[in-house]
C-alpha cells in the first residue's frame, strides 16, 4: 500500500511539472504576410496610374519583408506619404519609399 501511495505522489508531481512546462511555452504564431494587400492598395489607390508604374514595381520587389505599413497624410483623402516595412528581428520600421520632408 505504501508503494502505491508513493507511485501516486510521483505521478502527481510529474503531471504538475509537465503542466508547468507546457504553460511556460509560448504558442507559435502563424506569420501572415500583408504583401499582396499592400501591393493592391499601391496599384489601385495610393500610386494609381502609369506615372507611378516604376515606383510600384520597385518598392515591393526589392524587399523580402512580409509586414508592410503605408503612411498617409490624413484619413480623409488618403494622400500617400510613404511605404515602410517592419523588421521583427530588429523590432523597428524601415522606410522603403516616400515623400521627402524638408
Amino acid at each position: 500500500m505504501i508503494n502505491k501511495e508513493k507511485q501516486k505522489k510521483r505521478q502527481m508531481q510529474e503531471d504538475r511539472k509537465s503542466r508547468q512546462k507546457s504553460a511556460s511555452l509560448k504558442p507559435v504564431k502563424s506569420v501572415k504576410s500583408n504583401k499582396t494587400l499592400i501591393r493592391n492598395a499601391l496599384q489601385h489607390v495610393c500610386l494609381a496610374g502609369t506615372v507611378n508604374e516604376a515606383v510600384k514595381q520597385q518598392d515591393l520587389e526589392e524587399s523580402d519583408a512580409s509586414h508592410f505599413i503605408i503612411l498617409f497624410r490624413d484619413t480623409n483623402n488618403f494622400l500617400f506619404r510613404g511605404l515602410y516595412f517592419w523588421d521583427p528581428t530588429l523590432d523597428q520600421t524601415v522606410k522603403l519609399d516616400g515623400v521627402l520632408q524638408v
Side-chain angles (χ1 to χ4, degrees):
M1 184 158 176
I2 295 174
N3 287 336
K4 287 182 180 180
E5 289 177 12
K6 285 183 179 180
Q7 286 178 350
K8 284 183 182 180
K9 262 188 178 179
R10 264 192 244 140
Q11 185 65 32
M12 288 175 59
Q13 288 174 350
E14 289 175 5
D15 288 343
R16 190 178 309 133
K17 286 180 182 178
S18 67
R19 276 187 263 133
Q20 288 174 349
K21 284 182 182 179
S22 65
S24 66
L25 295 175
K26 294 181 180 178
V28 177
K29 295 180 181 177
S30 65
V31 178
K32 293 185 177 181
S33 174
N34 67 348
K35 193 171 191 172
T36 55
L37 182 67
I38 296 296
R39 180 182 289 131
N40 287 338
L42 288 174
Q43 287 178 351
H44 301 294
V45 179
C46 302
L47 300 173
T50 57
V51 176
N52 300 316
E53 193 67 35
V55 176
K56 288 187 282 190
Q57 296 300 325
Q58 179 184 8
D59 284 344
L60 291 177
E61 297 303 323
E62 68 185 31
S63 176
D64 293 335
S66 59
H67 302 287
F68 293 89
I69 302 166
I70 298 176
L71 179 67
F72 294 107
R73 183 174 178 184
D74 59 9
T75 58
N76 295 333
N77 49 12
F78 300 114
L79 292 174
F80 177 75
R81 297 296 290 174
L83 177 65
Y84 295 79
F85 72 90
W86 178 65
D87 187 359
T89 58
L90 300 175
D91 196 26
Q92 67 180 11
T93 57
V94 180
K95 186 174 184 179
L96 281 176
D97 186 38
V99 179
L100 295 174
Q101 293 186 356
V102 180

